[in-house]
Amino acid sequence: MSIALNHITLSYGSRTLLEDVTAAFAQGSLTALIGRNGTGKSTLLRAIAGLGTTVSGDVALCGRPLASLTPHELSTTVGFVTTDKVRIANLACEDVVALGRAPYTNWIGRMQEADRAVVERSLRLVGMSAFARKTMDRMSDGECQRVMIARALAQDTPVILLDEPTAFLDLPNRYELATLLRQLTRDEGKCILFSTHDLDVALSLCDSVALIDTPSLHHLPAGEMVGSGLIERLFSGENARFDPETRTVRLR
Ligand SMILES: Nc1ncnc2c1ncn2[C@@H]1O[C@H](COP(=O)(O)OP(=O)(O)OP(=O)(O)O)[C@@H](O)[C@H]1O
Protein backbone atom coordinates (compact mmCIF):
# COMPACT_ATOMS: atom_id res chain seq x y z
CA MET A 1 0.00 0.00 0.00
CA SER A 2 1.23 3.50 -0.81
CA ILE A 3 -0.37 5.01 2.29
CA ALA A 4 -1.34 2.92 5.32
CA LEU A 5 -2.90 4.42 8.41
CA ASN A 6 -2.81 2.00 11.32
CA HIS A 7 -4.92 2.89 14.33
CA ILE A 8 -4.03 6.56 14.15
CA THR A 9 -5.42 9.19 16.50
CA LEU A 10 -5.05 12.90 15.76
CA SER A 11 -5.75 15.58 18.30
CA TYR A 12 -5.03 19.16 19.25
CA GLY A 13 -4.80 19.40 23.02
CA SER A 14 -7.87 17.76 24.49
CA ARG A 15 -9.77 17.91 21.18
CA THR A 16 -9.73 14.63 19.24
CA LEU A 17 -10.18 14.97 15.49
CA LEU A 18 -9.71 11.35 14.47
CA GLU A 19 -9.60 8.32 16.72
CA ASP A 20 -8.25 4.85 16.00
CA VAL A 21 -8.46 5.24 12.22
CA THR A 22 -7.22 2.42 9.99
CA ALA A 23 -7.28 2.90 6.20
CA ALA A 24 -5.13 2.17 3.16
CA PHE A 25 -4.65 3.91 -0.19
CA ALA A 26 -3.20 1.99 -3.13
CA GLN A 27 -0.76 2.88 -5.87
CA GLY A 28 -2.56 4.19 -8.98
CA SER A 29 -5.61 5.40 -7.06
CA LEU A 30 -7.29 8.79 -6.73
CA THR A 31 -9.01 9.46 -3.42
CA ALA A 32 -10.95 12.52 -2.30
CA LEU A 33 -10.84 13.38 1.38
CA ILE A 34 -14.09 15.07 2.37
CA GLY A 35 -15.70 16.29 5.56
CA ARG A 36 -17.30 19.36 7.08
CA ASN A 37 -15.19 22.45 7.84
CA GLY A 38 -12.79 21.97 10.71
CA THR A 39 -13.07 18.17 10.86
CA GLY A 40 -9.34 17.66 10.29
CA LYS A 41 -8.75 17.14 6.56
CA SER A 42 -5.68 19.40 6.45
CA THR A 43 -4.44 18.00 9.74
CA LEU A 44 -4.66 14.44 8.40
CA LEU A 45 -2.88 15.35 5.15
CA ARG A 46 -0.14 17.09 7.11
CA ALA A 47 0.23 14.06 9.38
CA ILE A 48 0.63 11.78 6.35
CA ALA A 49 3.22 14.19 4.91
CA GLY A 50 5.18 14.01 8.16
CA LEU A 51 4.63 17.68 8.90
CA GLY A 52 4.81 17.51 12.66
CA THR A 53 1.31 16.89 13.94
CA THR A 54 0.45 14.88 17.04
CA VAL A 55 -0.22 11.34 15.96
CA SER A 56 -0.59 8.15 17.86
CA GLY A 57 -0.64 4.95 15.86
CA ASP A 58 1.44 4.51 12.72
CA VAL A 59 1.50 5.99 9.26
CA ALA A 60 3.39 3.93 6.67
CA LEU A 61 4.36 5.16 3.21
CA CYS A 62 5.18 2.57 0.55
CA GLY A 63 5.55 -0.06 3.24
CA ARG A 64 7.90 1.95 5.47
CA PRO A 65 6.96 3.56 8.78
CA LEU A 66 6.87 7.35 8.35
CA ALA A 67 8.82 7.75 11.58
CA SER A 68 11.73 5.73 10.15
CA LEU A 69 12.16 7.86 7.01
CA THR A 70 15.02 10.36 6.86
CA PRO A 71 14.10 13.88 5.64
CA HIS A 72 15.65 12.98 2.27
CA GLU A 73 13.66 9.73 2.02
CA LEU A 74 10.50 11.59 2.98
CA SER A 75 11.10 14.18 0.26
CA THR A 76 11.44 11.47 -2.38
CA THR A 77 8.35 9.59 -1.13
CA VAL A 78 5.65 12.21 -0.64
CA GLY A 79 4.89 15.51 -2.38
CA PHE A 80 2.50 18.02 -0.81
CA VAL A 81 0.62 20.71 -2.74
CA THR A 82 -1.16 23.42 -0.76
CA THR A 83 -3.32 26.30 -1.92
CA ASP A 84 -0.69 28.80 -0.76
CA LYS A 85 -0.06 31.09 -3.68
CA VAL A 86 3.49 31.24 -4.94
CA ARG A 87 3.42 34.45 -6.92
CA ILE A 88 6.95 35.71 -6.80
CA ALA A 89 7.60 38.36 -9.43
CA ASN A 90 10.25 37.32 -11.95
CA LEU A 91 10.15 33.66 -10.97
CA ALA A 92 9.24 31.73 -14.10
CA CYS A 93 7.03 28.62 -14.01
CA GLU A 94 9.94 26.39 -14.91
CA ASP A 95 11.94 27.78 -11.97
CA VAL A 96 9.06 27.01 -9.60
CA VAL A 97 8.79 23.49 -11.00
CA ALA A 98 12.58 23.12 -10.70
CA LEU A 99 12.21 23.58 -6.92
CA GLY A 100 10.71 20.08 -6.96
CA ARG A 101 14.10 18.73 -8.00
CA ALA A 102 15.75 19.90 -4.75
CA PRO A 103 15.96 16.37 -3.27
CA TYR A 104 17.96 15.21 -6.29
CA THR A 105 20.25 18.09 -7.19
CA ASN A 106 23.84 18.22 -5.91
CA TRP A 107 24.98 20.11 -2.82
CA ILE A 108 24.99 23.49 -4.55
CA GLY A 109 21.58 22.73 -6.01
CA ARG A 110 22.82 22.74 -9.60
CA MET A 111 20.36 21.27 -12.09
CA GLN A 112 21.73 18.62 -14.44
CA GLU A 113 20.43 17.91 -17.94
CA ALA A 114 18.30 15.05 -16.56
CA ASP A 115 16.71 17.40 -13.99
CA ARG A 116 15.83 19.89 -16.72
CA ALA A 117 14.23 17.07 -18.72
CA VAL A 118 12.10 16.12 -15.69
CA VAL A 119 10.97 19.75 -15.30
CA GLU A 120 10.03 19.92 -18.97
CA ARG A 121 8.13 16.64 -18.77
CA SER A 122 6.30 17.70 -15.61
CA LEU A 123 5.11 20.92 -17.26
CA ARG A 124 4.02 18.92 -20.29
CA LEU A 125 2.04 16.44 -18.16
CA VAL A 126 -0.03 19.26 -16.67
CA GLY A 127 -0.46 20.95 -20.06
CA MET A 128 1.63 24.01 -19.15
CA SER A 129 4.65 23.75 -21.48
CA ALA A 130 3.74 27.00 -23.19
CA PHE A 131 3.96 28.80 -19.82
CA ALA A 132 7.51 27.66 -18.97
CA ARG A 133 9.08 31.13 -19.21
CA LYS A 134 6.03 33.06 -17.98
CA THR A 135 6.15 34.47 -14.47
CA MET A 136 3.63 33.18 -11.95
CA ASP A 137 2.43 36.62 -10.85
CA ARG A 138 0.60 37.00 -14.15
CA MET A 139 -1.24 33.71 -14.17
CA SER A 140 -4.75 32.63 -13.21
CA ASP A 141 -5.48 30.48 -10.15
CA GLY A 142 -6.11 27.44 -12.34
CA GLU A 143 -2.82 27.91 -14.19
CA CYS A 144 -0.91 28.39 -10.91
CA GLN A 145 -2.48 25.26 -9.47
CA ARG A 146 -1.29 23.25 -12.47
CA VAL A 147 2.24 24.60 -12.08
CA MET A 148 2.24 23.63 -8.40
CA ILE A 149 1.16 20.12 -9.38
CA ALA A 150 4.01 20.07 -11.93
CA ARG A 151 6.38 20.97 -9.07
CA ALA A 152 5.10 17.94 -7.13
CA LEU A 153 5.53 15.76 -10.25
CA ALA A 154 9.11 17.00 -10.66
CA GLN A 155 9.71 15.83 -7.09
CA ASP A 156 9.06 12.35 -8.50
CA THR A 157 7.33 10.84 -5.46
CA PRO A 158 4.99 7.83 -5.50
CA VAL A 159 2.57 9.64 -3.17
CA ILE A 160 1.09 13.10 -3.82
CA LEU A 161 -1.14 14.90 -1.31
CA LEU A 162 -3.07 18.05 -2.20
CA ASP A 163 -4.95 20.30 0.19
CA GLU A 164 -8.04 21.70 -1.53
CA PRO A 165 -6.58 21.90 -5.04
CA THR A 166 -9.96 22.85 -6.51
CA ALA A 167 -10.50 25.85 -4.21
CA PHE A 168 -10.52 29.12 -6.21
CA LEU A 169 -11.28 27.29 -9.47
CA ASP A 170 -14.40 27.70 -11.58
CA LEU A 171 -16.55 24.65 -12.28
CA PRO A 172 -15.00 23.56 -15.63
CA ASN A 173 -11.52 23.97 -14.13
CA ARG A 174 -12.47 21.88 -11.07
CA TYR A 175 -13.42 19.00 -13.33
CA GLU A 176 -10.35 19.51 -15.50
CA LEU A 177 -8.04 19.50 -12.51
CA ALA A 178 -9.59 16.35 -11.03
CA THR A 179 -9.42 14.70 -14.46
CA LEU A 180 -5.72 15.61 -14.64
CA LEU A 181 -5.12 14.07 -11.20
CA ARG A 182 -6.99 10.96 -12.28
CA GLN A 183 -4.84 10.74 -15.42
CA LEU A 184 -1.69 10.95 -13.29
CA THR A 185 -2.83 8.00 -11.20
CA ARG A 186 -3.46 6.00 -14.37
CA ASP A 187 -0.43 6.97 -16.47
CA GLU A 188 2.16 7.57 -13.76
CA GLY A 189 0.91 5.11 -11.11
CA LYS A 190 0.75 7.82 -8.45
CA CYS A 191 -1.24 7.41 -5.26
CA ILE A 192 -3.08 10.74 -4.97
CA LEU A 193 -5.11 11.86 -1.96
CA PHE A 194 -6.67 15.34 -1.99
CA SER A 195 -9.03 17.21 0.27
CA THR A 196 -12.01 18.94 -1.28
CA HIS A 197 -15.44 20.41 -0.62
CA ASP A 198 -16.59 19.48 -4.15
CA LEU A 199 -18.82 16.50 -3.52
CA ASP A 200 -19.67 16.03 -7.20
CA VAL A 201 -15.99 16.01 -8.20
CA ALA A 202 -15.21 13.59 -5.36
CA LEU A 203 -18.06 11.23 -6.14
CA SER A 204 -17.87 11.37 -9.94
CA LEU A 205 -14.15 11.35 -10.73
CA CYS A 206 -12.41 9.59 -7.85
CA ASP A 207 -11.83 5.89 -7.28
CA SER A 208 -12.62 6.19 -3.62
CA VAL A 209 -13.77 8.72 -1.07
CA ALA A 210 -12.51 9.06 2.49
CA LEU A 211 -15.13 10.80 4.61
CA ILE A 212 -14.39 12.23 8.03
CA ASP A 213 -17.30 11.46 10.36
CA THR A 214 -15.74 12.72 13.58
CA PRO A 215 -13.88 10.90 15.08
CA SER A 216 -14.07 8.15 12.40
CA LEU A 217 -12.93 7.97 8.79
CA HIS A 218 -15.05 6.00 6.31
CA HIS A 219 -13.12 4.98 3.20
CA LEU A 220 -15.29 3.52 0.43
CA PRO A 221 -15.31 3.19 -3.36
CA ALA A 222 -17.01 6.36 -4.72
CA GLY A 223 -20.12 4.49 -5.93
CA GLU A 224 -20.61 2.83 -2.55
CA MET A 225 -20.15 6.14 -0.76
CA VAL A 226 -23.05 7.67 -2.77
CA GLY A 227 -25.37 4.86 -1.69
CA SER A 228 -24.13 4.61 1.89
CA GLY A 229 -26.33 7.35 3.36
CA LEU A 230 -23.26 8.78 5.12
CA ILE A 231 -23.14 11.89 2.97
CA GLU A 232 -26.84 12.70 3.54
CA ARG A 233 -26.30 12.34 7.27
CA LEU A 234 -23.27 14.62 7.42
CA PHE A 235 -24.02 17.21 4.74
CA SER A 236 -27.80 17.64 4.91
CA GLY A 237 -29.21 20.30 7.20
CA GLU A 238 -32.29 22.44 7.76
CA ASN A 239 -31.74 24.44 4.58
CA ALA A 240 -29.90 22.02 2.35
CA ARG A 241 -29.94 18.35 1.49
CA PHE A 242 -27.64 16.02 -0.44
CA ASP A 243 -29.18 14.80 -3.70
CA PRO A 244 -27.65 11.40 -4.59
CA GLU A 245 -28.97 11.70 -8.17
CA THR A 246 -26.92 14.79 -9.00
CA ARG A 247 -24.33 14.12 -6.26
CA THR A 248 -24.65 17.73 -5.10
CA VAL A 249 -26.02 19.57 -2.08
CA ARG A 250 -29.23 21.48 -2.94
CA LEU A 251 -31.43 23.97 -1.16
CA ARG A 252 -34.56 22.42 0.36
N1 LIG B 1 -2.15 24.26 15.08
C1 LIG B 1 -3.37 24.06 15.58
N2 LIG B 1 -3.58 24.11 16.93
C2 LIG B 1 -4.79 23.89 17.47
N3 LIG B 1 -5.90 23.61 16.73
C3 LIG B 1 -5.76 23.57 15.41
C4 LIG B 1 -4.51 23.80 14.75
N4 LIG B 1 -4.67 23.67 13.41
C5 LIG B 1 -5.99 23.40 13.24
N5 LIG B 1 -6.64 23.34 14.42
C6 LIG B 1 -8.07 23.04 14.62
O1 LIG B 1 -8.27 21.68 14.29
C7 LIG B 1 -9.48 21.53 13.56
C8 LIG B 1 -9.20 20.87 12.23
O2 LIG B 1 -8.52 21.78 11.39
P1 LIG B 1 -8.21 21.43 9.87
O3 LIG B 1 -7.64 22.65 9.25
O4 LIG B 1 -7.42 20.19 9.82
O5 LIG B 1 -9.68 21.14 9.31
P2 LIG B 1 -10.20 21.02 7.81
O6 LIG B 1 -11.12 19.85 7.78
O7 LIG B 1 -9.05 21.01 6.87
O8 LIG B 1 -11.03 22.37 7.69
P3 LIG B 1 -11.53 23.22 6.40
O9 LIG B 1 -12.50 22.35 5.64
O10 LIG B 1 -12.23 24.38 7.04
O11 LIG B 1 -10.31 23.60 5.63
C9 LIG B 1 -10.10 22.92 13.44
O12 LIG B 1 -11.08 23.05 14.44
C10 LIG B 1 -8.95 23.85 13.68
O13 LIG B 1 -9.39 25.02 14.31
Side-chain angles (χ1 to χ4, degrees), residues 12 14 34 42 65 81 90 95 128 176 195 218 242 247 252:
Y12 285 117
S14 60
I34 63 174
S42 304
V81 180
N90 302 323
D95 301 328
M128 294 296 286
E176 264 178 39
S195 64
H218 305 285
F242 174 70
R247 303 180 170 197
R252 282 190 190 277

Side-chain angles (χ1 to χ4, degrees), residues 181-246:
L181 295 178
R182 188 183 164 87
Q183 205 61 40
L184 294 172
T185 62
R186 303 301 186 265
D187 297 348
E188 307 290 311
K190 305 284 185 193
C191 169
I192 300 183
L193 174 63
F194 70 103
S195 64
T196 184
H197 287 289
D198 290 312
L199 289 178
D200 54 339
V201 165
L203 296 167
S204 311
L205 290 169
C206 296
D207 300 303
S208 65
V209 175
L211 168 66
I212 297 184
D213 177 6
T214 309
S216 305
L217 181 84
H218 305 285
H219 182 210
L220 294 172
E224 278 181 40
M225 185 60 86
V226 174
S228 69
L230 286 163
I231 297 190
E232 281 93 320
R233 187 162 65 72
L234 290 173
F235 287 88
S236 293
E238 223 169 78
N239 301 316
R241 66 177 179 84
F242 174 70
D243 176 7
E245 284 280 302
T246 58

Side-chain angles (χ1 to χ4, degrees), residues 12 15 17 36-43 164 197:
Y12 285 117
R15 181 161 170 229
L17 298 172
R36 300 292 299 262
N37 284 127
T39 47
K41 298 178 292 300
S42 304
T43 304
E164 297 201 33
H197 287 289

Side-chain angles (χ1 to χ4, degrees), residues 11 20 54 96 114 127 142 216 241:
S11 51
D20 198 19
T54 320
V96 173
S216 305
R241 66 177 179 84

